[in-house]
Amino acid sequence: MTTMTHDTPASPSVSPGSRLAAGLVLAVVSAVSFGMSGALASGLLDTGWTAGSVVLVRVGLAAVVVLPLGLVALRGRWSLVRRNAGLITMYGVLAVAGAQFCYFSAVSHMQVGPALLIEYTAPAAVVVWLWLRHGQRPGPVTLVGAGLAVLGLVLVLDLISGADLNTAGVLWALAAMVGAATYFVISADESNGLPPLTLAAGGLVVGTVALGLLGLVGLMPMTATTDPTSYAGREVAWWVPLLVLGLVTAAVAYVTGIAAGRRLGSRLASFVALLEVVAGVGFAWLLLDELPRPIQLLGGLLILAGVVAVKLGERTVRVEEPTPA
């Protein structure tokens, strides 16, 4: 027997239309915020910062900002934290620290474009997970949307010309994909009772500790300088991009991303997050004068079409139930 379903239940006190609209706005804000990180980090890397140092400061600063908000949202319900300690740890280790550490490890072995493409197969992994774990078999419209989104990513990342793939790099990128998929699945889960701010705060704190440990044992090189950075031909103090990285591309991005996942479900939220790649190309144009090619703009339109198709396909998601004996 099959029934129609959505992978996240809607709140009875909120109309589905307003919940969807709010979720889409939050998801776009999260994707754009995340997308800004690459261009900002690039300016710091050019002055001698290592990727590990940038990521640690970014996540650590976000943890300092979000933690008080997460404690307020908790309202003294410490039993929620104790009951979900394992979930928060998994979120911080895999979705925050793991995804970023594995991605930067991937780009140390291969080109950025292929690494991003592999990591952003996470929405497909989410669809497979929901199918295998919850019996939510994707319909043909969802599959078409996924195909359009993947084709759009190929065009946005300008991979048509071909790129050499390194085995170690591919494995690291696949590990980053697992971290990204974990982020979408856990963010959309409302059954744990954790407020979005509390989950974000806990994950960022755990992620900061995990990244710090990776630096201490030497697995993630840590180097920083106080030289000014340059964006669009203008020099700015080194701490300016760090503040934006921590406050906007981490604190705002994770909080809005979790809130979006709660409203849209992990499937749709993961596909809307593909806009991060489009935003990344746009910020590279604005901040680094890296002008996108027409084929990349076409790729952005295909990603948008894929997101729309995935949303339409959610209306016909089929849940497979065991046949009674």
Side-chain angles (χ1 to χ4, degrees), residues 7 86 124 216 292:
D7 62 319
L216 287 176

Side-chain angles (χ1 to χ4, degrees), residues 25-70:
V25 170
L26 289 167
V28 171
V29 170
S30 178
V32 172
S33 300
F34 274 127
M36 192 186 303
S37 61
L40 290 174
S42 179
L44 291 168
L45 295 175
D46 289 341
T47 64
W49 283 71
T50 57
S53 299
V54 174
V55 172
L56 178 60
V57 173
R58 175 193 178 198
V59 175
L61 181 58
V64 171
V65 173
V66 179
L67 181 58
L69 303 177

